Amino acid sequence: MKTPRFGILFLIMVLSPAVTGAVDFGLLLNQYAGLKNSENNNFEFEYNAGLVPRFSLLIGDTGSFFLSAAMNIEYTDKFYFYPELLRTELFLNFGQIDLKAGRIIYSAPFDYIASGLFDGLQFIHSSRAGRFGLGAWYTGFQYKKSANITMTNEDQLLFNSEVDYNNFYGTYFAPKRLLVSINWEHPSIGEFLRVNTAVLGQIDFSKEGIYHNQYLMLKLGFHVNRFLFELGGSLEAAQMKRPEYSVDNEGKTTANIPNEFTFKMAFSGELGFYWTLPAKFYNRFSLVGRYTSGSLKGNEIFGAFIPVTSKNISEIFTPKMSGITVLTLDHSARIIKEFGTNINFSYFVRNDLKTVYNFPLADGSAEKKLLGGELYARLIFNPLSDLQIKLGGGAFFSQLGNVWEDREILLKMELNAIFSLY
């Protein structure tokens, strides 16, 4: 019995110089309240509160460990309670090579394709030739609403379902997918051109609605005085087995998976213009256009572009970035250290009449494409170093399009407060 105790004591003595005085604990309280109306003009209230403990320590001179989790309370039509493991990262540096492992942040060159926390491992090599990255991540251990993966109809049904603690494994976790990425970025080639490129592959481990795909992404940016221009695009190749459903005499639904894969290609593009004004405070305008291909009638080769994560690029009207064009005019300012503002206007156009979208409005014209515009503003207030308050509000005007010309204006107001307890 003495030997194990001596070994543990020896290990503590060896590691203590590396971590003594470098341990940090913290506790955050994040609260959100929102009020919005639906298409039938009924107002809906939403509340979410999360208690987030976090822990970090330094490992030697070049490493660190960070751990965070949350206990969340959510109310829509009733109260929900769910735990969640957040960013949990081991970071080690070996000269020009960085290693990250755990639940770590990954973002593709276009964040509407894939971004968020994923479980995996990433190597990054930095040199004068740029930053090379290689990583692999798994999504099946994450909370489904945080992962926000809805690539197939089966994914969407899982996302919309409530967490059932009697079937926790089948209702809490995100779809089971493996992501592998190779990327290269350079901040300034010739002190002029910024390059960010990646190849991302996704393997679907679902039993129904199998959807494998790969993305080739390239994003370029260059500065001219106070102006920044960005442009780029992505090519998607997908291999699919779409289930065919049948109903027997007893009303039981069966999914029949085809033996062979079908193939398709899809593409997306982005063009951005950013202007930082010559002011004493941060003051920037931007105009960004994003395009994702949709299903083409009679074309079996090209189809709808499907991202891995369904990142919202707007606040009220939140379609998937599939078969849609979004134009956004934005202004952000940090007037003083404690106070900032953001206001943007987005306009939406669908690129096909076939793809099923997650629109907040139903029905409408089946032959027209102009969906409408959204105006949204947000105030950000930091009265204390450990307190941040965000107040936002806006409206989506379907009357600015021709799909839902006679629908009500959708309104939304929200209040978010983040307080560091210690």
Side-chain angles (χ1 to χ4, degrees):
M1 294 297 292
K2 292 183 179 180
T3 303
R5 290 180 181 177
F6 176 78
I8 294 173
L9 179 61
F10 177 77
L11 183 62
I12 293 174
M13 292 175 63
V14 171
L15 293 179
S16 60
V19 300
T20 301
V23 178
D24 180 51
F25 297 91
L27 186 64
L28 296 177
L29 177 60
N30 187 353
Q31 295 192 82
Y32 169 88
L35 183 65
K36 62 182 180 179
N37 66 327
S38 58
E39 62 175 312
N40 55 13
N41 217 24
N42 292 328
F43 278 87
E44 302 172 355
F45 176 73
E46 180 182 0
Y47 175 76
N48 183 286
L51 192 62
V52 183
R54 53 186 174 84
F55 165 83
S56 64
L57 62 85
L58 296 179
I59 302 175
D61 296 327
T62 59
S64 63
F65 177 74
F66 184 90
L67 170 66
S68 61
M71 174 56 72
N72 298 295
I73 302 174
E74 180 179 321
Y75 175 83
T76 47
D77 53 344
K78 62 180 181 180
F79 279 101
Y80 303 89
F81 301 89
Y82 58 93
E84 184 177 7
L85 182 66
L86 302 178
R87 179 186 161 213
T88 303
E89 177 183 302
L90 172 65
F91 173 83
L92 299 173
N93 174 260
F94 305 95
Q96 292 183 316
I97 298 178
D98 294 334
L99 167 65
K100 295 181 181 181
R103 181 157 292 183
I104 59 180
I105 297 173
Y106 170 74
S107 182
F110 303 97
D111 59 1
Y112 61 82
I113 294 178
S115 64
L117 289 168
F118 302 96
D119 298 323
L121 185 71
Q122 185 178 29
F123 294 91
I124 301 174
H125 179 270
S126 301
S127 67
R128 299 177 65 179
R131 284 163 49 94
F132 294 87
L134 172 64
W137 302 268
Y138 181 67
T139 65
F141 297 135
Q142 298 174 261
Y143 176 50
K144 60 185 180 182
K145 294 294 180 71
S146 297
N148 210 357
I149 297 174
T150 56
M151 302 186 73
T152 64
N153 292 334
E154 290 72 26
D155 291 350
Q156 188 68 57
L157 291 174
L158 173 62
F159 183 87
N160 293 338
S161 65
E162 295 183 9
V163 174
D164 182 0
Y165 284 91
N166 294 321
N167 183 22
F168 186 79
Y169 181 79
T171 59
Y172 176 89
F173 294 103
K176 303 174 181 64
R177 299 179 185 275
L178 176 67
L179 306 179
V180 179
S181 173
I182 301 174
N183 67 283
W184 171 67
E185 58 180 313
H186 197 293
S188 181
I189 297 179
E191 298 182 355
F192 174 72
L193 184 64
R194 185 173 68 191
V195 179
N196 192 354
T197 183
V199 176
L200 174 64
Q202 181 272 140
I203 300 175
D204 186 359
F205 292 107
S206 302
K207 295 180 180 179
E208 298 180 359
I210 298 173
Y211 189 94
H212 308 311
N213 67 343
Q214 304 81 41
Y215 306 90
L216 175 61
M217 294 170 273
L218 174 63
K219 189 173 186 178
L220 306 175
F222 57 92
H223 282 274
V224 178
N225 297 323
R226 293 182 175 273
F227 300 95
L228 169 64
F229 299 89
E230 290 187 337
L231 71 159
S234 174
L235 181 66
E236 178 198 4
Q239 305 82 44
M240 305 167 288
K241 286 186 178 181
R242 299 187 183 277
E244 299 175 355
Y245 295 96
S246 59
V247 180
D248 59 21
N249 295 331
E250 298 179 354
K252 183 179 179 180
T253 302
T254 303
N256 302 308
I257 309 298
N259 293 324
E260 302 294 332
F261 281 98
T262 58
F263 301 87
K264 75 159 189 182
M265 303 290 289
F267 53 93
S268 70
E270 180 176 308
L271 178 63
F273 167 78
Y274 306 84
W275 176 32
T276 303
L277 279 69
K280 294 182 179 180
F281 55 90
Y282 177 79
N283 192 6
R284 190 176 80 164
F285 282 96
S286 66
L287 177 62
V288 180
R290 298 180 178 92
Y291 171 90
T292 55
S293 64
S295 296
L296 302 178
K297 188 175 182 180
N299 192 318
E300 297 182 357
I301 299 176
F302 288 95
F305 186 89
I306 305 294
V308 175
T309 55
S310 298
K311 176 182 174 61
N312 292 338
I313 60 172
S314 51
E315 300 294 334
I316 305 172
F317 185 71
T318 54
K320 296 179 182 179
M321 281 302 297
S322 177
I324 197 168
T325 296
V326 184
L327 301 174
T328 302
L329 177 64
D330 181 275
H331 176 257
S332 298
R334 190 75 176 184
I335 302 172
I336 58 176
K337 181 180 178 181
E338 297 82 8
F339 187 74
T341 63
N342 174 259
I343 183 170
N344 64 69
F345 178 79
S346 297
Y347 195 82
F348 307 86
V349 181
R350 59 179 177 178
N351 299 324
D352 68 56
L353 303 174
K354 179 181 178 181
T355 304
V356 177
Y357 303 100
N358 185 25
F359 290 150
L361 296 175
D363 302 325
S365 172
E367 302 297 329
K368 298 178 181 179
K369 296 185 177 182
L370 303 181
L371 300 173
E374 174 183 308
L375 179 66
Y376 204 85
R378 181 176 283 111
L379 304 177
I380 304 170
F381 185 44
N382 291 93
L384 303 170
S385 60
D386 52 6
L387 176 63
Q388 182 184 79
I389 300 173
K390 296 180 182 180
L391 176 64
F396 173 72
F397 302 92
S398 59
Q399 298 84 353
L400 297 179
N402 55 18
V403 177
W404 304 292
E405 294 178 281
D406 58 346
R407 297 301 174 92
E408 296 288 337
I409 297 174
L410 296 183
L411 304 172
K412 181 179 180 180
M413 292 187 64
E414 59 180 355
L415 176 66
N416 181 245
I418 302 175
F419 181 57
S420 178
L421 300 179
Y422 65 86

